[in-house]
Amino acid sequence: MEKKNIAVVGATGAVGQKMLEVLEQRNFPFNSIRLLASERSAGKKISFLGQELTVEALNKDSFQGIDIALFSAGAARSKEFAPIAAAAGAVVVDNTSQFRMDPNVPLVVPEVNAADIEKHKGIIANPNCSTIGMVLALNPIHQVAKIKRVVVSTYQSVSGAGATAIEELKTQVKDWVDGKDLVVDKFQHPIAFNCIPHIDVFMDNGYTKEEMKMVEETKKILGDDSIQVTATCVRVPVFFAHSESLTIETEKKLSAAEVKELLSSAPGICLLDDPENNQYPMPYDLAGRDETFVGRIREDVSHPSSINLWLVSDNLRKGAALNAVQIAENL
Ligand code: NAP
Ligand code: 3JN
């Protein structure tokens, strides 16, 4: 692989920090790496492969000489700076929702639609973390049995809401144990010992934006607008890794054994399905892992051609940083 000049935009954030970890772990062949964040972080030192790197404030000149720019500093920064980076000759891999549904921007999970990367015009979008785990499991099933409808409920960890949300859960748990009042800032309600069915803003149709991201992104990645998806996204008091319950209705009936067989060889998926020995995916065990783990696979007793399953995927790794770095590796 030819060595590239890399920029990480949002390098001080939860996703940016994970990007650096993944780049290190995968020996990504870079020539130089530039760390960008807000004015607040300019001058801050971050250690990367044994070197102390200095964070720079993002500005319109940040992308001179950059080949690949990994963006995770929020949709507003992507809207403003991704086109500037692309115009300066970089290929942008964008982790935000800003360009995901733009018909000129490929939306890529490499195990599913790596071929779409070639169609880029300077920007490639990384899907939402909950979508990525789900489509890894859906794609092999869709290829053989054509999916008609998916009902998904998510159980999303606080790290999906950024570095300060992780601190908020830690502080609330400590304060709860100490009998103190809980301070609520990042979420609408206390997240310690709670489940909040509200991620991102509410839309006119009663869904949240996070739920509609799952609906729309799934169709684009699988290249099939006929797949019907309905989602309920819930924030739970877990630090890392998102879990999802899926009901998948197919045109052709598949047995549970057939689905297990399909998913046992699916790229990016690891089957963990041994209920007799209490073995099924859980975020407690699987945070930090690259694969999306699937278990509890069973035929839906309420429908003749439908499957239920449960999955767990590390939202900061495969759900964000790892998927983005895999796209960069494909480039
Ligand atoms: P975070 O921990 O809050 O980090 C935000 C990052 O953005 C920090 O590096 C911050 O820099 C930087 N930033 C904020 N305002 C900026 C500005 N005006 N100019 C330059 N940099 C700025 O959030 P996160 O969890 O890493 O998420 C960051 C973004 O990634 C999200 O907004 C979202 O769009 C995307 N994301 C995607 C997924 C996914 O599903 N693929 C998952 C999570 C997040 P400072 O430290 O200097 O403030
Ligand atoms: O909440 C989560 O678990 C995932 C959050 C993702 C997120 C957070 C803030 C802004 C996104 C995203 O990736 O869709 C965005 C955004 O870019 O809109």
Side-chain angles (χ1 to χ4, degrees):
M1 219 185 308
E2 193 193 325
K3 290 190 175 177
K4 302 287 185 189
N5 298 322
I6 310 291
V8 178
V9 184
T12 53
V15 176
Q17 288 287 294
K18 194 58 74 176
M19 297 258 200
L20 296 177
E21 193 182 307
V22 171
L23 288 167
E24 276 185 340
Q25 287 169 347
R26 293 174 75 88
N27 286 323
F28 192 92
F30 69 95
N31 204 20
S32 71
I33 183 152
R34 186 173 294 164
L35 306 188
L36 300 162
S38 77
E39 289 281 359
R40 295 178 289 276
S41 302
K44 190 175 165 185
K45 303 282 182 202
I46 291 184
S47 129
F48 181 74
L49 286 173
Q51 276 182 289
E52 287 282 287
L53 302 180
T54 305
V55 177
E56 297 169 37
L58 173 66
N59 66 64
K60 61 179 176 28
D61 300 320
S62 298
F63 302 98
Q64 296 309 320
I66 295 295
D67 300 306
I68 298 176
L70 304 172
F71 271 69
S72 65
R77 262 66 61 192
S78 292
K79 183 177 183 184
E80 183 176 355
F81 290 101
I84 293 173
V91 179
V92 171
V93 182
D94 184 33
N95 250 292
T96 80
S97 58
Q98 181 58 37
F99 301 104
R100 288 183 191 146
M101 297 314 297
D102 183 329
N104 289 313
V105 174
L107 181 64
V108 175
V109 177
E111 293 86 344
V112 177
N113 62 337
D116 287 351
I117 292 174
E118 278 176 26
K119 300 176 194 158
H120 82 81
K121 300 183 172 80
I123 303 176
I124 300 163
N126 209 57
N128 177 269
C129 41
S130 298
T131 312
I132 292 177
M134 180 166 78
V135 297
L136 281 171
L138 294 183
N139 186 48
I141 296 173
H142 189 52
Q143 296 309 317
V144 302
K146 192 161 179 10
I147 294 173
K148 288 167 76 174
R149 180 167 183 254
V150 180
V151 181
V152 56
S153 298
T154 69
Y155 304 67
Q156 298 184 214
S157 65
V158 294
S159 55
T164 53
I166 300 171
E167 292 312 309
E168 185 155 319
L169 175 57
K170 280 186 196 163
T171 305
Q172 286 184 0
V173 169
K174 277 193 208 132
D175 286 349
W176 189 88
V177 170
D178 293 343
K180 294 185 191 161
D181 287 343
L182 302 189
V183 179
V184 174
D185 177 33
K186 226 21 222 185
F187 304 109
Q188 303 78 10
H189 304 276
I191 183 61
F193 311 106
N194 202 5
C195 296
I196 308 175
H198 178 178
I199 300 182
D200 211 330
V201 295
F202 279 102
M203 318 272 292
D204 289 344
N205 64 1
Y207 284 75
T208 63
K209 198 169 169 195
E210 183 82 353
E211 290 160 355
M212 290 311 295
K213 286 172 189 170
M214 294 189 79
V215 171
E216 286 155 6
E217 293 175 18
T218 301
K219 295 176 190 205
K220 179 165 174 177
I221 298 162
L222 295 178
D224 189 340
D225 275 344
S226 73
I227 300 175
Q228 299 300 307
V229 180
T230 183
T232 303
C233 292
V234 183
R235 185 76 64 197
V236 296
V238 164
F239 285 109
F240 301 103
H242 289 1
S243 305
E244 300 178 22
S245 160
L246 266 60
T247 298
I248 306 160
E249 188 186 328
T250 50
E251 215 164 85
K252 175 178 170 238
K253 183 186 165 52
L254 290 177
S255 67
E258 285 171 318
V259 173
K260 284 180 197 175
E261 178 65 28
L262 273 173
L263 293 180
S264 66
S265 58
I269 293 280
C270 184
L271 206 60
L272 182 56
D273 198 5
D274 183 8
E276 280 179 20
N277 290 303
N278 301 338
Q279 294 301 304
Y280 28 72
M282 289 182 292
Y284 188 89
D285 300 328
L286 301 173
R289 296 291 297 266
D290 285 347
E291 310 92 320
T292 291
F293 289 79
V294 181
R296 300 291 323 277
I297 298 171
R298 61 207 188 276
E299 285 156 44
D300 179 347
V301 292
S302 72
H303 193 280
S305 59
S306 172
I307 288 288
N308 290 320
L309 59 80
W310 171 258
L311 65 81
V312 172
S313 185
D314 187 315
N315 54 299
L316 292 182
R317 286 190 75 89
K318 185 57 187 168
L322 172 63
N323 198 69
V325 171
Q326 286 176 306
I327 292 172
E329 287 170 351
N330 270 271
L331 285 168

